Amino acid sequence: MTIPVSVYQGGKVAEDLKSCKNNIDSSAIIRRSLEKRKKTGKGLFGQILEYLRLRRSPGGLDLKDYYVYHLYDDSRYSFAEKQRFVSDRFYFKIVEKCCDKRWWILADDKYWADTVLRAHGFPVPETQAVFCEGDREFGSVHTLHDNDELEKFFGQEAQYPVYSKPVNGIASLGNFLIEGMQDASLRFHDGSQMPVSDFAAQIDRSIGQLFQSTLLSHPDLTDVCGRVSTVRVILIIQNGEVKIVNTVWKVPDSRNMADNFWRDGNCLGAIDSATGAVERVVGYVDRIPKELSKETAMGSAMLGRKLPRWQEVIDLCVTGARIFAPLRFQSWDIALTESGPVVVEVNPGSSFVLSQIASGNGFLTDEFLEFLLETGCKTKRFAK
């Protein structure tokens, strides 16, 4: 997915974005694909020819997609199955057709999304304050306008731990988990410290940075994830009906402040949308996404597990989807907390990477292709 220019803010975003782009070792995957030729007989030239055919398929795969999804492996996929994968570079092309642009801001702007959801009675994280030096107002939310007010908030008012994120952020780029303050320096989740003035320099002071109370994990899940995890629920609205098309459990490593899969050590679970049971688990092995079996620690802990209060998760998303109905393709991130499911984020559309890596299957099902055609999104035909 292309990152909008508006998301590039301070140094922390640039640092996180570099980590995000480098999380998967593509060169190691390519080397492994060439090793496979001993079994498949498909060398580099054969792989490139196949990739060029897939590039002309409806999903318009790029070369990285071909290797990240292991599409070179004929023992895993038929050519017809390979064509079901879609590249994230088509994200905006698809979303522009499926979602009314006038509604994007209500989902992408975390302050407005929280305000709308709270007004309709949905559980959302508590916002303690927002830091912004621009002209924007944030209603009744405690607004900090300069470094002195920011230091006062952290020194006297904040309820720790505090989760900090940009108002317009995505993928946890530029986020912080602040555990406390000592001698005018903030202490973060990894034990590092930073003076408040340096922290302020890491963010775009004109856009706004939210400071929210940290959510705690549901007790049934603490053996798997020490921090709160979220479920990505992807849905479409077709003929007035909300249809769940994919669900993924994002599981954070205890060392990480967020559950986004680009953070090394995090895992994904493909979820049966009807039951909330984990059907497949993927984690990183030497910076390569790999399915984890029952014989691995995380595979054993996650496979077959049913997520708590699952029907509540689905009901929240189905009911909430109608509030944002002009966004006909949506994704919801629902935190599984000690007090029940909490809405963390609403997105126009969704990255295809999460669901495709988690499930091992392409996103372009017959149902989704029919939906795209109905919304006016032109797609190519499958090759024979």
Side-chain angles (χ1 to χ4, degrees):
M1 181 175 66
T2 304
I3 307 296
V5 174
S6 62
V7 172
Y8 292 95
Q9 301 184 73
K12 182 62 161 54
V13 171
E15 177 187 335
D16 286 347
L17 188 59
K18 182 178 179 180
S19 298
C20 179
K21 289 181 175 180
N22 295 330
N23 68 319
I24 296 177
D25 190 344
S26 300
S27 60
I29 296 177
I30 294 174
R31 289 195 301 271
R32 188 163 298 182
S33 75
L34 294 177
E35 293 171 1
K36 278 271 185 180
R37 67 183 173 183
K38 297 176 182 178
K39 296 181 179 180
T40 65
K42 187 193 299 179
L44 181 60
F45 184 68
Q47 292 177 20
I48 295 299
L49 286 179
E50 182 177 60
Y51 154 67
L52 292 174
R53 289 183 68 196
L54 288 171
R55 184 176 176 82
R56 296 191 294 270
S57 68
L61 299 172
D62 61 27
L63 193 58
K64 184 176 181 180
D65 296 324
Y66 181 73
Y67 287 107
V68 167
Y69 296 129
H70 301 275
L71 301 184
Y72 56 83
D73 190 347
D74 293 343
S75 67
R76 297 178 63 171
Y77 303 108
S78 67
F79 189 76
E81 290 170 330
K82 295 175 184 181
Q83 292 184 85
R84 296 286 181 171
F85 285 80
V86 59
S87 176
D88 250 14
R89 64 192 180 93
F90 279 165
Y91 169 83
F92 284 106
K93 176 182 176 181
I94 290 174
V95 171
E96 285 175 356
K97 290 294 185 180
C98 301
C99 299
D100 187 332
K101 286 185 178 181
R102 294 170 296 182
W103 281 71
W104 286 17
I105 190 65
L106 284 182
D108 285 339
D109 186 291
K110 290 174 172 52
Y111 167 75
W112 278 120
D114 278 10
T115 300
V116 170
L117 290 166
R118 194 184 300 275
H120 286 80
F122 285 80
V124 295
E126 175 194 17
T127 298
Q128 298 184 28
V130 61
F131 177 53
C132 182
E133 290 185 341
D135 296 329
R136 182 175 179 180
E137 296 291 337
F138 292 88
S140 61
V141 176
H142 181 27
T143 306
L144 315 170
H145 299 92
D146 55 38
N147 282 16
D148 290 339
E149 292 184 2
L150 187 66
E151 187 163 345
K152 179 183 177 183
F153 167 75
F154 284 125
Q156 303 176 25
E157 302 164 351
Q159 300 297 311
Y160 293 102
V162 172
Y163 196 84
S164 169
K165 57 187 179 183
V167 169
N168 69 341
I170 61 173
S172 76
L173 300 174
N175 292 11
F176 297 85
L177 179 54
I178 306 167
E179 299 283 1
M181 179 176 175
Q182 184 176 4
D183 299 328
S185 288
L186 299 179
R187 185 178 70 257
F188 302 106
H189 72 286
D190 59 359
S192 62
Q193 298 188 41
M194 181 185 297
V196 175
S197 58
D198 290 351
F199 170 80
Q202 294 291 307
I203 58 182
D204 189 323
R205 306 154 77 98
S206 64
I207 291 176
Q209 188 86 359
L210 293 174
F211 302 117
Q212 296 183 328
S213 299
T214 301
L215 300 171
L216 300 178
S217 179
H218 190 284
D220 289 354
L221 304 177
T222 53
D223 64 313
V224 174
C225 42
R227 303 192 189 280
V228 71
S229 59
T230 63
V231 174
R232 167 65 59 92
V233 179
I234 305 173
L235 57 86
I236 58 176
I237 301 177
Q238 188 176 30
N239 300 322
E241 179 184 357
V242 178
K243 299 179 180 180
I244 307 295
V245 295
N246 199 271
T247 48
V248 179
W249 183 23
K250 300 187 289 181
V251 180
D253 185 278
S254 59
R255 298 167 299 174
N256 292 331
M257 57 173 290
D259 59 14
N260 302 81
F261 190 57
W262 63 264
R263 296 181 183 274
D264 188 34
N266 289 354
C267 292
L268 296 177
I271 307 300
D272 182 327
S273 300
T275 66
V278 182
E279 298 181 313
R280 187 172 185 267
V281 178
V282 176
Y284 285 108
V285 177
D286 297 328
R287 290 178 55 203
I288 297 175
K290 182 178 179 180
E291 181 177 1
L292 304 181
S293 69
K294 272 280 191 180
E295 282 65 47
T296 64
M298 287 303 289
S300 176
M302 292 175 62
L303 283 168
R305 179 186 292 255
K306 290 190 175 181
L307 299 184
R309 303 174 72 164
W310 180 251
Q311 193 57 50
E312 292 181 45
V313 171
I314 297 300
D315 290 345
L316 274 179
C317 298
V318 171
T319 304
R322 298 187 185 281
I323 297 173
F324 296 88
L327 303 175
R328 295 184 59 193
F329 176 29
Q330 306 173 14
S331 60
W332 291 63
D333 286 338
I334 308 296
L336 304 175
T337 80
E338 59 179 355
S339 58
V342 173
V343 182
V344 173
E345 198 166 274
V346 183
N347 305 289
S350 175
S351 166
F352 301 111
V353 173
L354 277 181
S355 57
Q356 292 181 151
I357 286 183
S359 68
N361 297 317
F363 200 87
L364 294 178
T365 61
D366 289 343
E367 178 184 54
F368 191 68
L369 281 168
E370 179 187 355
F371 169 74
L372 293 181
L373 292 172
E374 288 180 3
T375 56
C377 186
K378 298 180 180 179
T379 63
K380 298 178 181 179
R381 294 183 179 182
F382 289 117
K384 295 182 180 180

